[in-house]
Amino acid sequence: MTAALAVVTTSGLEDGVPRSRGEGTGEVVVERGPGAAYHMFVVMEDLVEKLKLLRYEEEFLRKSNLKAPSRHYFALPTNPGEQFYMFCTLAAWLINKAGRPFEQPQEYDDPNATISNILSELRSFGRTADFPPSKLKSGYGEHVCYVLDCLAEEALKYIGFTWKRPIYPVEELEEETVAEDDAELTLNKVDEEFVEEETDNEENFIDLNVLKAQTYHLDMNETAKQEDILESTTDAAEWSLEVERVLPQLKVTIRTDNKDWRIHVDQMHQHKSGIESALKETKGFLDKLHNEITRTLEKIGSREKYINNQLENLVQEYRAAQAQLSEAKERYQQGNGGVTERTRLLSEVMEELEKVKQEMEEKGSSMTDGAPLVKIKQSLTKLKQETVEMDIRIGIVEHTLLQSKLKEKSNMTRNMHATVIPEPATGFY
């Protein structure tokens, strides 16, 4: 992911210093040991081993064309954008490996939605994730290593991975040379040892008839060989040269085995003799040291008793002073409690006094201030003007009313005269 994810990679750092859980977010920070800062390196190394067991190099890196991360890739900040992309894709692959369908994150996906989906899958496996999701936006840190390690464990559980007994390689015995004086044996001794071994092995299986037949054949062969070797045609000088040439090859060397119990027994005897000789030398010094220590302890005990007897009065005075000091501390605690209570009451009284002063100042300012009086005068003049205007309007209305009444009266009189019938004119005859 490039543009959409690179924007949020530095939100978990703020000032570039990785914090522990709860630091900078208002949570309570739990004090941990001095090695807690390096715990994520151990978790990261375990994660790499688990990923190798899941064959992530063949199934994940080669298919995605990604480089293999280092052993501390998610523990140290190198490239936050690349690390966050690697974290999202690896988490998605591990979730799929654990048997849960999960889509691979794309380039322009919302980082917050991707992180929330990964955490929801992690909680569905029964794992705890009691840290804010913003801790994963940086792409590195102990929370990133924790999430990936939990997902790798769930993937190993899903595929049924179990640890088998270790197969140790066969160690080749180191050949050790032995001094020639101890290792050289004559051929006669070797022959004697072989004859003794054969007789020990075959003493329970001797058949007399077979033995007689074997001895008869051996005697016949020896007599025939003696007749053949009675006359020798070999030169003595050549024989001696041949003996000198073959003599080094006739030496038999027996190589010792470090695992032989005889060698261990010899070593035990040597160590025992060495310990006994060293003990004889050091026992005198140890006895002297023991005697000096005992004498010194006796002197210290006697001095301690003498000092205790001499300082008995002072010790009693000291104890009495300690008792008085404890009583004085108790009284001080009681008085301190009363002082705190009275201080609280004084603060309450001071708050009430401040409120009363503020009210008095407000009333005094309102009494000495002429603004309300000016407002009243302005309102009175405004009322007078409005009264004059109303009087004018009332006069106009009365005048119009009178005009209408007069006009109506004149109309009525005109109508009355118009309706009178004139009498016909008659003459007197």
Side-chain angles (χ1 to χ4, degrees), residues 122-133:
L122 181 65
R123 293 188 183 96
S124 65
F125 288 119
R127 302 282 184 162
T128 58
D130 53 350
F131 52 87

Side-chain angles (χ1 to χ4, degrees), residues 147-215:
V147 171
L148 293 176
D149 186 64
C150 292
L151 293 177
E153 287 181 359
E154 295 298 330
L156 289 173
K157 289 180 183 178
Y158 182 76
I159 64 176
F161 176 79
T162 55
W163 293 101
K164 298 180 180 178
R165 289 184 177 273
I167 300 173
Y168 299 101
V170 179
E171 297 181 357
E172 295 182 357
L173 300 176
E174 297 181 358
E175 297 181 354
E176 295 183 359
T177 58
V178 185
E180 293 182 357
D181 297 335
D182 298 332
E184 289 184 1
L185 297 175
T186 60
L187 292 174
N188 295 326
K189 291 183 180 180
V190 175
D191 292 336
E192 290 176 359
E193 290 177 358
F194 284 130
V195 170
E196 289 177 358
E197 289 178 0
E198 289 178 357
T199 54
D200 292 336
N201 293 329
E202 296 178 358
E203 63 182 356
N204 296 326
F205 302 98
I206 297 175
D207 191 355
L208 296 176
N209 296 322
V210 175
L211 184 60
K212 289 179 180 180
Q214 289 178 355
T215 53

Side-chain angles (χ1 to χ4, degrees), residues 259-278:
K259 294 184 179 180
D260 190 6
W261 63 272
R262 297 180 182 85
I263 296 174
H264 293 297
V265 171
D266 295 336
Q267 290 178 355
M268 290 170 63
H269 287 299
Q270 291 176 2
H271 292 314
K272 182 181 178 182
S273 61
I275 290 170
E276 289 177 353
S277 61

Side-chain angles (χ1 to χ4, degrees), residues 14 16 30 92 134 149 153 174 180 200 219 241 247 270 290 320 339 367 379 406:
E14 294 181 358
V30 180
S134 59
D149 186 64
E153 287 181 359
E174 297 181 358
E180 293 182 357
D200 292 336
D219 292 336
L241 291 174
L247 184 61
Q270 291 176 2
H290 179 264
V339 170
M367 291 173 67
S379 60
L406 291 174

Side-chain angles (χ1 to χ4, degrees), residues 19 30 44 55 65 70 84 88 96 117 161 177 233 237 263 274 312-313 325 355 392 395 402 426 428:
R19 294 187 174 89
V30 180
M44 183 62 202
R55 301 175 62 86
N65 293 325
S70 62
F84 183 71
C88 293
N96 290 320
N117 293 332
F161 176 79
T177 58
T233 59
I263 296 174
E312 184 68 26
N313 296 325
L325 179 62
K355 290 180 180 178
I392 293 170
L402 181 61
T426 57
F428 297 97

